Amino acid sequence: MRVARVCLDCDEIHDAQTCPICASESFAYVSRWVPVPERRNGSRPARSEAAETYDQLVNPQPARSLASKVAKGALGLAAITAAGWVWQRIATPNKGPADSTPSNSKIAAK
């Protein structure tokens, strides 16, 4: 509606630079007589979950910095090391006081 023109020679409505009927270049915009509503009259509807997913696929989050990757790697390595230490402590049988006999027990028995 904003680009509709009326030819002043033959009263044809068109949107081209020249009239398609008479090839005249004299025109007037129709919006001069017919009011055009505002383009952004209301707010847009809420975005759907599918639109959010598509937006994330098309515009991915920026890559993390090298320092962030190194810090997360160090944290992961520390967690794996702690888990290995706990695993090793559980797998090794405990040596209690009964197992630890002094090697000089023969001398004390005499």
Side-chain angles (χ1 to χ4, degrees):
M1 187 68 165
R2 292 184 185 277
V3 296
R5 302 170 180 180
V6 62
C7 177
L8 297 177
D9 294 334
C10 67
D11 295 330
E12 178 72 21
I13 295 185
H14 59 87
D15 64 350
Q17 184 65 30
T18 60
C19 177
I21 303 296
C22 67
S24 173
E25 291 185 358
S26 359
F27 64 87
Y29 287 104
V30 174
S31 60
R32 182 174 182 181
W33 295 282
V34 180
V36 180
E38 290 295 322
R39 288 185 179 186
R40 300 197 180 229
N41 196 8
S43 63
R44 292 184 177 182
R47 292 180 63 163
S48 67
E49 187 176 336
E52 292 292 333
T53 304
Y54 176 77
D55 190 38
Q56 289 174 359
L57 289 173
V58 173
N59 302 320
Q61 297 294 328
R64 295 182 182 155
S65 67
L66 181 61
S68 174
K69 290 179 182 178
V70 169
K72 290 200 180 230
L75 185 63
L77 182 63
I80 290 172
T81 303
W85 179 74
V86 168
W87 183 282
Q88 192 175 28
R89 295 280 289 179
I90 292 172
T92 306
N94 291 337
K95 295 185 178 181
D99 293 340
S100 59
T101 55
S103 59
N104 295 335
S105 61
K106 294 181 182 177
I107 299 173
K110 286 187 182 180

